[in-house]
mmCIF file of all heavy atoms in Angstrom:
data_model
loop_
_atom_site.group_PDB
_atom_site.id
_atom_site.type_symbol
_atom_site.label_atom_id
_atom_site.label_comp_id
_atom_site.label_asym_id
_atom_site.label_seq_id
_atom_site.Cartn_x
_atom_site.Cartn_y
_atom_site.Cartn_z
ATOM 1 N N TYR A 1 98.993 163.685 88.611
ATOM 2 C CA TYR A 1 99.441 162.826 89.593
ATOM 3 C C TYR A 1 98.249 162.104 90.262
ATOM 4 O O TYR A 1 97.276 162.675 90.553
ATOM 5 C CB TYR A 1 100.150 163.537 90.763
ATOM 6 C CG TYR A 1 101.452 164.291 90.225
ATOM 7 C CD1 TYR A 1 101.341 165.639 90.093
ATOM 8 C CD2 TYR A 1 102.652 163.593 90.059
ATOM 9 C CE1 TYR A 1 102.495 166.389 89.603
ATOM 10 C CE2 TYR A 1 103.732 164.440 89.713
ATOM 11 C CZ TYR A 1 103.744 165.644 89.457
ATOM 12 O OH TYR A 1 104.805 166.506 89.034
ATOM 13 N N CYS A 2 98.440 160.748 90.340
ATOM 14 C CA CYS A 2 97.378 159.894 90.907
ATOM 15 C C CYS A 2 97.833 159.230 92.162
ATOM 16 O O CYS A 2 98.823 158.692 92.191
ATOM 17 C CB CYS A 2 96.847 158.908 89.933
ATOM 18 S SG CYS A 2 96.396 159.597 88.312
ATOM 19 N N SER A 3 97.111 159.272 93.207
ATOM 20 C CA SER A 3 97.385 158.612 94.493
ATOM 21 C C SER A 3 97.312 157.085 94.240
ATOM 22 O O SER A 3 96.495 156.534 93.363
ATOM 23 C CB SER A 3 96.333 158.888 95.581
ATOM 24 O OG SER A 3 96.522 160.233 95.961
ATOM 25 N N GLY A 4 98.215 156.434 94.917
ATOM 26 C CA GLY A 4 98.308 154.889 94.716
ATOM 27 C C GLY A 4 97.655 154.240 95.894
ATOM 28 O O GLY A 4 96.871 154.780 96.625
ATOM 29 N N THR A 5 97.864 152.964 95.964
ATOM 30 C CA THR A 5 97.249 152.094 96.986
ATOM 31 C C THR A 5 98.106 151.704 98.009
ATOM 32 O O THR A 5 97.726 151.117 99.085
ATOM 33 C CB THR A 5 96.695 150.939 96.361
ATOM 34 O OG1 THR A 5 97.750 150.051 95.675
ATOM 35 C CG2 THR A 5 95.581 151.308 95.384
ATOM 36 N N GLY A 6 99.495 152.036 97.992
ATOM 37 C CA GLY A 6 100.457 151.582 98.858
ATOM 38 C C GLY A 6 100.498 152.418 100.110
ATOM 39 O O GLY A 6 99.944 153.564 100.125
ATOM 40 N N ASP A 7 101.257 152.152 101.199
ATOM 41 C CA ASP A 7 101.452 152.754 102.364
ATOM 42 C C ASP A 7 102.343 153.911 102.176
ATOM 43 O O ASP A 7 103.599 153.580 101.868
ATOM 44 C CB ASP A 7 101.802 151.822 103.521
ATOM 45 C CG ASP A 7 101.903 152.509 104.828
ATOM 46 O OD1 ASP A 7 100.808 152.648 105.583
ATOM 47 O OD2 ASP A 7 103.107 153.058 105.148
ATOM 48 N N LEU A 8 102.042 155.089 102.292
ATOM 49 C CA LEU A 8 102.989 156.296 102.079
ATOM 50 C C LEU A 8 104.193 156.128 102.932
ATOM 51 O O LEU A 8 105.288 156.328 102.359
ATOM 52 C CB LEU A 8 102.326 157.594 102.245
ATOM 53 C CG LEU A 8 103.073 158.800 102.123
ATOM 54 C CD1 LEU A 8 103.571 158.859 100.545
ATOM 55 C CD2 LEU A 8 102.198 160.145 102.318
ATOM 56 N N GLN A 9 104.096 155.927 104.226
ATOM 57 C CA GLN A 9 105.263 155.800 105.070
ATOM 58 C C GLN A 9 106.163 154.698 104.734
ATOM 59 O O GLN A 9 107.405 154.887 104.572
ATOM 60 C CB GLN A 9 104.867 155.756 106.487
ATOM 61 C CG GLN A 9 105.939 155.784 107.496
ATOM 62 C CD GLN A 9 105.497 155.709 108.969
ATOM 63 O OE1 GLN A 9 104.321 155.778 109.189
ATOM 64 N NE2 GLN A 9 106.352 155.862 109.840
ATOM 65 N N GLU A 10 105.753 153.580 104.487
ATOM 66 C CA GLU A 10 106.521 152.401 104.039
ATOM 67 C C GLU A 10 107.158 152.703 102.758
ATOM 68 O O GLU A 10 108.441 152.439 102.649
ATOM 69 C CB GLU A 10 105.718 151.126 104.015
ATOM 70 C CG GLU A 10 105.279 150.572 105.340
ATOM 71 C CD GLU A 10 104.335 149.338 105.117
ATOM 72 O OE1 GLU A 10 104.472 148.688 104.073
ATOM 73 O OE2 GLU A 10 103.567 148.993 106.091
ATOM 74 N N ASN A 11 106.530 153.184 101.745
ATOM 75 C CA ASN A 11 107.114 153.420 100.435
ATOM 76 C C ASN A 11 108.091 154.461 100.530
ATOM 77 O O ASN A 11 109.184 154.438 99.861
ATOM 78 C CB ASN A 11 105.916 153.811 99.387
ATOM 79 C CG ASN A 11 105.165 152.584 99.130
ATOM 80 O OD1 ASN A 11 105.414 151.389 99.439
ATOM 81 N ND2 ASN A 11 103.938 152.819 98.500
ATOM 82 N N THR A 12 107.886 155.488 101.298
ATOM 83 C CA THR A 12 108.918 156.656 101.385
ATOM 84 C C THR A 12 110.168 156.087 102.166
ATOM 85 O O THR A 12 111.279 156.347 101.695
ATOM 86 C CB THR A 12 108.254 157.756 102.173
ATOM 87 O OG1 THR A 12 107.157 158.252 101.480
ATOM 88 C CG2 THR A 12 109.291 158.813 102.234
ATOM 89 N N ALA A 13 109.989 155.437 103.174
ATOM 90 C CA ALA A 13 111.176 154.640 103.894
ATOM 91 C C ALA A 13 111.942 153.830 102.924
ATOM 92 O O ALA A 13 113.220 153.807 102.953
ATOM 93 C CB ALA A 13 110.677 153.966 105.067
ATOM 94 N N ALA A 14 111.283 152.962 102.170
ATOM 95 C CA ALA A 14 111.894 152.123 101.162
ATOM 96 C C ALA A 14 112.690 153.005 100.135
ATOM 97 O O ALA A 14 113.963 152.683 99.685
ATOM 98 C CB ALA A 14 110.916 151.230 100.450
ATOM 99 N N LEU A 15 112.172 154.025 99.735
ATOM 100 C CA LEU A 15 112.823 154.983 98.772
ATOM 101 C C LEU A 15 114.104 155.695 99.370
ATOM 102 O O LEU A 15 115.161 155.705 98.714
ATOM 103 C CB LEU A 15 111.976 155.949 98.265
ATOM 104 C CG LEU A 15 112.290 156.980 97.281
ATOM 105 C CD1 LEU A 15 112.793 156.432 95.920
ATOM 106 C CD2 LEU A 15 111.332 158.067 96.943
ATOM 107 N N LEU A 16 113.978 156.037 100.550
ATOM 108 C CA LEU A 16 115.079 156.544 101.186
ATOM 109 C C LEU A 16 116.240 155.624 101.471
ATOM 110 O O LEU A 16 117.376 155.886 101.282
ATOM 111 C CB LEU A 16 114.590 157.257 102.627
ATOM 112 C CG LEU A 16 113.753 158.483 102.417
ATOM 113 C CD1 LEU A 16 113.217 158.793 103.819
ATOM 114 C CD2 LEU A 16 114.553 159.688 101.814
ATOM 115 N N ARG A 17 115.859 154.391 101.776
ATOM 116 C CA ARG A 17 116.840 153.334 102.028
ATOM 117 C C ARG A 17 117.526 153.000 100.714
ATOM 118 O O ARG A 17 118.717 152.891 100.760
ATOM 119 C CB ARG A 17 116.135 152.045 102.533
ATOM 120 C CG ARG A 17 115.876 151.985 104.068
ATOM 121 C CD ARG A 17 115.523 150.562 104.541
ATOM 122 N NE ARG A 17 114.352 150.082 103.922
ATOM 123 C CZ ARG A 17 113.030 150.271 104.268
ATOM 124 N NH1 ARG A 17 112.832 151.065 105.353
ATOM 125 N NH2 ARG A 17 112.154 149.783 103.706
ATOM 126 N N SER A 18 116.856 152.992 99.647
ATOM 127 C CA SER A 18 117.390 152.709 98.381
ATOM 128 C C SER A 18 118.404 153.725 97.923
ATOM 129 O O SER A 18 119.516 153.536 97.450
ATOM 130 C CB SER A 18 116.289 152.513 97.387
ATOM 131 O OG SER A 18 116.766 152.402 96.026
ATOM 132 N N ALA A 19 117.967 154.968 98.124
ATOM 133 C CA ALA A 19 118.808 156.219 97.887
ATOM 134 C C ALA A 19 120.141 156.165 98.659
ATOM 135 O O ALA A 19 121.239 156.479 98.098
ATOM 136 C CB ALA A 19 118.078 157.475 98.016
ATOM 137 N N ARG A 20 119.990 155.774 100.011
ATOM 138 C CA ARG A 20 121.151 155.743 100.868
ATOM 139 C C ARG A 20 122.143 154.719 100.316
ATOM 140 O O ARG A 20 123.406 154.691 100.408
ATOM 141 C CB ARG A 20 120.740 155.451 102.181
ATOM 142 C CG ARG A 20 121.764 155.571 103.328
ATOM 143 C CD ARG A 20 121.296 155.500 104.599
ATOM 144 N NE ARG A 20 120.663 156.715 105.113
ATOM 145 C CZ ARG A 20 119.807 156.858 106.102
ATOM 146 N NH1 ARG A 20 119.748 155.930 106.869
ATOM 147 N NH2 ARG A 20 119.298 157.971 106.269
ATOM 148 N N ARG A 21 121.530 153.428 99.933
ATOM 149 C CA ARG A 21 122.349 152.322 99.464
ATOM 150 C C ARG A 21 123.160 152.814 98.192
ATOM 151 O O ARG A 21 124.300 152.387 98.111
ATOM 152 C CB ARG A 21 121.582 151.087 99.269
ATOM 153 C CG ARG A 21 121.525 150.149 100.394
ATOM 154 C CD ARG A 21 120.695 148.880 99.895
ATOM 155 N NE ARG A 21 119.617 148.814 100.603
ATOM 156 C CZ ARG A 21 118.297 148.895 100.147
ATOM 157 N NH1 ARG A 21 118.080 148.932 98.956
ATOM 158 N NH2 ARG A 21 117.255 148.821 100.998
ATOM 159 N N GLU A 22 122.490 153.579 97.267
ATOM 160 C CA GLU A 22 123.116 153.935 96.071
ATOM 161 C C GLU A 22 124.252 154.898 96.441
ATOM 162 O O GLU A 22 125.296 154.842 95.811
ATOM 163 C CB GLU A 22 122.098 154.506 95.151
ATOM 164 C CG GLU A 22 121.169 153.617 94.524
ATOM 165 C CD GLU A 22 120.306 154.368 93.526
ATOM 166 O OE1 GLU A 22 120.574 155.456 92.996
ATOM 167 O OE2 GLU A 22 119.249 153.672 93.321
ATOM 168 N N MET A 23 124.042 155.896 97.302
ATOM 169 C CA MET A 23 125.034 156.843 97.744
ATOM 170 C C MET A 23 126.188 156.017 98.317
ATOM 171 O O MET A 23 127.352 156.265 98.102
ATOM 172 C CB MET A 23 124.514 157.865 98.713
ATOM 173 C CG MET A 23 123.417 158.880 98.124
ATOM 174 S SD MET A 23 122.853 160.002 99.283
ATOM 175 C CE MET A 23 124.187 160.645 100.107
ATOM 176 N N ALA A 24 125.947 155.011 99.223
ATOM 177 C CA ALA A 24 127.125 154.274 99.678
ATOM 178 C C ALA A 24 127.810 153.462 98.685
ATOM 179 O O ALA A 24 129.128 153.467 98.682
ATOM 180 C CB ALA A 24 126.563 153.336 100.833
ATOM 181 N N ASP A 25 127.189 152.918 97.754
ATOM 182 C CA ASP A 25 127.802 152.264 96.704
ATOM 183 C C ASP A 25 128.741 153.106 95.853
ATOM 184 O O ASP A 25 129.831 152.708 95.511
ATOM 185 C CB ASP A 25 126.713 151.531 95.789
ATOM 186 C CG ASP A 25 126.123 150.301 96.369
ATOM 187 O OD1 ASP A 25 126.555 149.924 97.457
ATOM 188 O OD2 ASP A 25 125.088 149.956 95.886
ATOM 189 N N LYS A 26 128.279 154.336 95.553
ATOM 190 C CA LYS A 26 129.085 155.160 94.955
ATOM 191 C C LYS A 26 130.274 155.656 95.621
ATOM 192 O O LYS A 26 131.379 155.856 95.137
ATOM 193 C CB LYS A 26 128.223 156.448 94.436
ATOM 194 C CG LYS A 26 127.232 156.181 93.332
ATOM 195 C CD LYS A 26 126.453 157.440 93.010
ATOM 196 C CE LYS A 26 125.458 156.931 91.972
ATOM 197 N NZ LYS A 26 124.545 158.217 91.621
#
């Protein structure tokens, strides 16, 4: 695993939002 250059908090929040949208769509 290699650390990236993005902001961890922002990327995690975006991932959680995406997962929530997918659950709502289902």
Side-chain angles (χ1 to χ4, degrees):
Y1 299 98
C2 303
S3 293
T5 58
D7 182 89
L8 180 60
Q9 186 173 359
E10 287 178 23
N11 291 342
T12 302
L15 181 61
L16 291 172
R17 282 191 301 272
S18 174
R20 189 174 286 167
R21 266 187 246 114
E22 286 183 28
M23 288 175 54
D25 289 346
K26 287 180 183 180

